[in-house]
């Protein structure tokens, strides 16, 4: 059984005091929560404080670089994050790809570097609106997924979480229908099976992201291959985020339920 992971991607939002308040509220919700994992991916300057304050949350970075040290102004390396006690990171978010020019090759390099330093990376894939309209969604996703796992051995692959985030659904209020999301999630799992076999693909969590909110979370999370959510806008509001966590707890996908 894959545990749900409900993760907030705060992006470049919240000043320090606001961030601390939000993290505290979510931490309170996470105390004694055994059924799901709850995570927050916070702006880099807040990582240390948030992780110390939030022992029951996954606290992760929004980005990571593949080199360890050196002349790479502005970048943050895996050993630096590890030295802050951080072991989770997002990689290849569509905003990084679109606004900061990250390629599939960069995403693979970051994933390899993160895994070598024992991180749990959440690697984002997703098609644009025009790619969906041209019905090339599965081709695009297939390429992104194969490239992200390029030269990653099986024992490391199991630490990866994939997030399917259709670009056209991010911050737009438009969400993939549960059936559309399931189609892509099942396809991603099939590719992972072809690369690593059934045992590992059964273990890898595949999250959905793109305008997830309290009103649509249940229908998405009920789908067989949707193992959680990566939430932008709604994760900035504690009531909304906690409500999505509560929804996840209420869903039981075990056989016969
Ligand atoms: P929204 O939930 O605001 O659409 O953002 C999704 C996202 O980009 C999460 O990484």
């Amino acid at each position: 059984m894959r545990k749900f992971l409900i993760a907030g991607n705060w992006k470049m939002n919240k000043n320090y005091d606001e961030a601390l308040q939000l993290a505290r509220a979510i931490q309170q919700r996470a105390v004694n929560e055994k059924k799901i994992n709850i995570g927050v991916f916070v702006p880099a300057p807040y990582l240390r404080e948030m992780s110390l304050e939030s022992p029951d949350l996954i606290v992760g970075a929004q980005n990571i670089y593949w080199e360890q040290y050196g002349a790479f102004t502005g970048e943050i390396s895996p050993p630096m994050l590890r030295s802050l006690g951080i072991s989770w990171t997002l990689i290849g978010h569509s905003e990084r790809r679109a606004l900061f020019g990250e390629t599939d090759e960069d995403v693979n390099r970051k994933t390899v570097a993160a895994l070598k330093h024992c991180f749990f990376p959440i690697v984002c894939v997703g098609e644009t609106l025009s790619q969906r309209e041209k019905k090339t969604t599965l081709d695009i996703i297939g390429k992104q997924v194969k490239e992200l796992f390029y030269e990653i051995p099986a024992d490391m692959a199991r630490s990866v979480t994939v997030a399917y985030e259709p670009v056209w659904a991010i911050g737009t209020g438009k969400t993939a229908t549960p059936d559309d999301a399931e189609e892509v999630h099942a396809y991603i799992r099939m590719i992972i099976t072809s690369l690593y076999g059934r045992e590992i693909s059964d273990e890898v969590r595949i999250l959905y992201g793109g305008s997830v909110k309290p009103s649509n979370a249940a229908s998405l999370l009920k789908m067989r291959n949707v193992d959680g959510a990566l939430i932008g806008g709604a994760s900035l509001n504690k009531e909304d985020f906690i409500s999505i966590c509560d929804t996840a707890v209420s869903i039981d996908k075990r056989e016969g339920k």
Side-chain angles (χ1 to χ4, degrees):
M1 271 299 289
R2 296 179 294 269
K3 242 189 207 188
F4 277 131
L5 168 56
I6 304 299
N9 172 9
W10 294 359
K11 309 190 180 182
M12 199 177 73
N13 291 297
K14 304 271 180 206
N15 68 28
Y16 176 71
D17 291 335
E18 294 163 348
L20 201 54
Q21 270 188 13
L22 180 58
R24 282 184 180 149
I26 299 169
Q27 159 59 27
Q28 263 184 3
R29 169 63 185 78
V31 175
N32 294 328
E33 176 55 67
K34 301 267 184 300
K35 212 176 151 202
I36 62 168
N37 295 129
I38 303 176
V40 288
F41 289 78
V42 307
Y46 311 155
L47 277 166
R48 176 73 172 165
E49 190 77 12
M50 303 284 138
S51 74
L52 289 175
E53 289 264 340
S54 320
D56 297 292
L57 296 180
I58 288 168
V59 176
Q62 297 176 6
N63 187 23
I64 195 167
Y65 196 55
W66 57 77
E67 296 287 353
Q68 300 200 40
Y69 295 101
F72 304 100
T73 302
E75 295 297 329
I76 306 177
S77 75
M80 287 174 178
L81 290 168
R82 292 301 314 216
S83 71
L84 296 176
I86 300 299
S87 56
W88 285 74
T89 184
L90 303 182
I91 292 177
H93 189 278
S94 74
E95 286 146 21
R96 302 275 344 150
R97 293 175 188 256
L99 304 174
F100 302 98
E102 283 187 18
T103 62
D104 284 338
E105 194 185 347
D106 296 338
V107 170
N108 172 253
R109 277 198 195 142
K110 291 182 173 200
T111 307
V112 170
L115 290 168
K116 278 192 181 147
H117 289 87
C118 301
F119 275 79
F120 297 97
I122 301 183
V123 189
C124 306
V125 298
E127 82 287 4
T128 62
L129 184 59
S130 77
Q131 289 165 337
R132 176 155 281 264
E133 283 170 351
K134 282 189 225 137
K135 303 204 184 312
T136 54
T137 298
L138 296 184
D139 296 339
I140 298 294
I141 299 298
K143 180 170 177 293
Q144 290 176 344
V145 172
K146 282 181 198 145
E147 297 215 11
L148 87 85
F149 282 109
Y150 178 67
E151 290 197 337
I152 290 176
D155 60 329
M156 285 184 168
R158 63 172 88 236
S159 300
V160 174
T161 299
V162 179
Y164 169 53
E165 301 206 309
V167 178
W168 50 270
I170 295 177
T172 57
K174 291 182 195 152
T175 324
T177 64
D179 287 335
D180 284 344
E182 174 60 20
E183 182 193 19
V184 177
H185 283 230
Y187 184 68
I188 293 171
R189 200 173 305 288
M190 196 191 78
I191 292 173
I192 301 174
T193 308
S194 74
L195 295 172
Y196 298 109
R198 190 64 197 266
E199 192 208 320
I200 287 178
S201 76
D202 271 350
E203 228 177 276
V204 170
R205 283 191 285 207
I206 305 173
L207 312 183
Y208 173 80
S211 298
V212 177
K213 40 189 184 262
S215 58
N216 60 24
S219 59
L220 289 158
L221 291 171
K222 276 182 188 154
M223 304 312 286
R224 187 183 180 87
N225 286 290
V226 176
D227 308 312
L230 184 55
I231 305 157
S235 76
L236 299 172
N237 175 294
K238 66 175 190 257
E239 284 84 13
D240 285 354
F241 187 71
I242 289 171
S243 148
I244 296 169
C245 293
D246 293 341
T247 298
V249 169
S250 72
I251 294 172
D252 195 334
K253 285 200 271 200
R254 276 173 300 182
E255 224 72 59
K257 291 258 174 177

